[in-house]
Each structure stands twice: as structure tokens, then as C-alpha cells.
Amino acid sequence: MLWNLKDILAVAKENHFAVGAFNTSDLALVRAVVEEAEETGTPAVLQFAPGEFRYATPLFFRYVTERLKDSPVAFALHLDHGKTVEECADAIRAGFTSVMIDGSVLSFEENKRLTREVTVLAHRMGVSVEGEIGTIGSMAGSDEGGVENITYTNPSEVVDFVEATGCDALAVAIGTAHGIYPKGFTPRLQLELLEEINQVAPVPLVLHGGSDNPDGEIRRACEIGIQKVNISSDIKQVFFQKVHEIYTETGNFMPPQVFNPAILEVRKTVREKMELFGSTGKAVLYREKR
């Protein structure tokens, strides 16, 4: 089943769990997430940053949308960190059910204006919109972008932003970064800040940079009120480590013999994340909503 993000997260919020949103750049990663979600009966979001969208090409999403429509599990197809109206429009034309417009590096007023413009366009097509206030950090190897110096989300701006823009979900900055943290660096999520934001937020909250953070902090963030956790680097690192291992040890370069074992390794990580977010087995809740 192909849902928009607003409806997927509404069920998650009502039932107190978070949905994993996985950046699946190509067929192998799409397969890993979809097959694991179906085997465990778990809702999920497939998402692509603009660079991943261009890499996959719009035609690829004909397959993706048909695959998700035919599934018994609820999925959303989401553009991650769209920076312009045009990028969001391209994703909508390709069949995406949700887009993120990231105006977080703009002034607060300009961010509101841009997010509102995208929301008006997207809602005409039944497509959900995720906005962002505050900024996410960036580590090496990230395709999602980010900044060197994080600006934390100001709880006093949350209601104004959501009411002014009409967005359906809100990404918040509480200390995460895109990519894998350097050796010896220990991130610490500002969970007290998240509690303040959750008390006033009128829409579901999203945690970006969910890879490589301590499980205990991620679990607690989901308990407080995060309904969507973005995962990118964790699954890609596992995939390429397995590909490298097979090629290095055997010299095998036949895609089915290299990629199929890598897909199975990614599925293990996807399953661990789903269990961490509390979403495992929750697909039945979406069938009951139909």
C-alpha cells in the first residue's frame, strides 16, 4: 500500500511508535527495506535525497511506486531534503507521496515562505510535506547535506512555523548529524529540548541523522514523541562493507552473487532499526484503518 506521510505518521503517533525512513538509493537497498518490511509486517518510508533521486532517474520510480502499491504493507515514498520548489515538483511528478522542503539555512521568515509555497503545491496533489526548523550537522559521506555548526530548534517557533506553512511533519534539530560520526566522537541528543518541542508541536516530529547514534537515546526520542527516524549511512555502510568483503576474498564480480548477500546484511540492520523504533509488526494497524 502506498500512503502519504501524513497518514502513515498519524497512525504512528496514535499508537506511540516511530516509522523508519530509509534512504534507498537504488534497487538493492529498495529490495532490502521492502522485503524486510513485508516479512516482519512493518510500515516504512523509502526516501531519496535529491542527489539519489537524480542518480536513480525518474523512470526508476515507475517500478518503485508499482512495487509499493502492490505490497500488503503501508509505505510512503518521500523526497528527503529537497531544497527548491522544482526538486519537490520533480518528485511529485515521479509519484512520490511526500516531499521535504528544507529551508532551514534560510531566515525564519523565508523558510516559512518557501515551505508554504511547496505545501500549497503538494497538497493539491494529495502529497504530504515535511518542513524543518533548526539545522542538522553533517559528517563525511553524507548525501543529505547539513551544516558545520548546528542551530537547535527553538520550541517557541514551532507553532508559528506549522500554522504559517501548513506542513504535515516537522524535522527538528536536537544534536544529530548526517553521516557516520568520527572515531572517538560521542553524540548526545538534547532529549530535554525534544520534550519541550513535543509539548507544543501540532504535527508529528522527525529525527534526521538517526544513523550511528546510541540506541538508548534513539529509543528514548521515539518514546518522547519522534514519529519518523531517518536512516541512511547505517544501511549503506553495511551494504558496501559486504560487497567489499566478497570481492576482496573471492574476486567475484557477478552482481547476483555479490549483491544478494549484501542485501541480506542490510536487512539485518533494517530489522534492528525497526525493532528499536517500536514499529515491528505494526503494519496490521494500517490495514485496520482502511
Side-chain angles (χ1 to χ4, degrees):
M1 298 180 286
L2 189 52
W3 290 48
N4 67 28
L5 188 68
K6 178 180 179 179
D7 293 339
I8 280 218
L9 297 190
V11 175
K13 188 174 182 67
E14 181 181 346
N15 292 276
H16 309 290
F17 65 89
V19 178
F22 301 92
N23 282 68
T24 47
S25 310
D26 64 4
L27 176 61
L29 294 176
V30 167
R31 277 191 53 198
V33 174
V34 172
E35 291 170 12
E36 189 58 37
E38 289 179 338
E39 183 169 308
T40 58
T42 304
V45 177
L46 301 187
Q47 58 185 29
F48 294 74
E52 296 171 316
F53 179 89
R54 291 187 291 272
Y55 161 74
T57 76
L59 290 175
F60 174 68
F61 298 106
R62 292 185 183 179
Y63 158 76
V64 175
T65 53
E66 289 304 311
R67 178 68 179 86
L68 300 184
K69 287 176 184 176
D70 287 343
S71 177
V73 168
F75 290 95
L77 181 59
H78 178 73
L79 179 71
D80 187 29
H81 287 286
K83 294 296 198 300
T84 65
V85 175
E86 291 73 23
E87 287 179 341
C88 293
D90 286 344
I92 293 170
R93 281 192 289 268
F96 281 52
T97 60
S98 178
V99 296
M100 178 192 185
I101 181 65
D102 179 3
S104 60
V105 299
L106 304 174
S107 71
F108 185 64
E109 292 302 319
E110 184 62 17
N111 188 4
K112 287 196 295 184
R113 186 206 62 77
L114 177 61
T115 304
R116 177 63 183 172
E117 183 178 355
V118 170
T119 300
V120 170
L121 169 67
H123 282 183
R124 288 175 184 160
M125 307 301 294
V127 172
S128 302
V129 175
E130 176 185 326
E132 179 176 336
I133 50 177
T135 54
I136 312 298
S138 181
M139 300 294 174
S142 167
D143 190 56
E144 294 84 12
V147 298
E148 183 175 348
N149 297 310
I150 295 171
T151 301
Y152 291 102
T153 299
N154 184 343
S156 67
E157 296 178 336
V158 169
V159 173
D160 179 19
F161 185 85
V162 173
E163 290 182 348
T165 64
C167 67
D168 304 293
L170 183 66
V172 294
I174 59 170
T176 55
H178 295 127
I180 297 296
Y181 296 107
K183 186 176 181 180
F185 179 86
T186 303
R188 182 178 179 273
L189 303 190
Q190 302 297 316
L191 296 175
E192 301 85 358
L193 174 60
L194 177 59
E195 289 176 341
E196 291 182 48
I197 296 168
N198 187 58
Q199 287 174 3
V200 299
V203 294
L205 300 176
V206 179
L207 184 66
H208 284 246
S211 292
D212 206 29
N213 285 279
D215 284 355
E217 290 189 345
I218 296 293
R219 184 180 295 108
R220 180 59 186 146
C222 295
E223 292 170 351
I224 291 171
I226 291 293
Q227 263 77 58
K228 172 176 176 271
V229 182
N230 288 11
I231 298 294
S232 178
S233 299
D234 276 348
I235 60 173
K236 291 167 183 168
Q237 186 177 59
V238 166
F239 181 81
F240 283 104
Q241 283 175 342
K242 190 62 177 180
V243 169
H244 181 263
E245 173 191 320
I246 293 171
Y247 182 75
T248 301
E249 293 182 0
T250 70
N252 193 334
F253 52 80
M254 298 301 293
Q257 297 172 33
V258 177
F259 291 160
N260 280 335
I263 288 170
L264 292 176
E265 285 299 307
V266 173
R267 286 185 59 175
K268 294 177 186 177
T269 299
V270 170
R271 179 175 296 207
E272 291 171 358
K273 298 299 182 182
M274 290 172 167
E275 291 173 351
L276 179 63
F277 306 152
S279 58
T280 302
K282 296 298 195 305
V284 64
L285 298 173
Y286 295 85
R287 291 193 287 271
E288 291 172 353
K289 285 281 185 182
R290 285 297 189 184

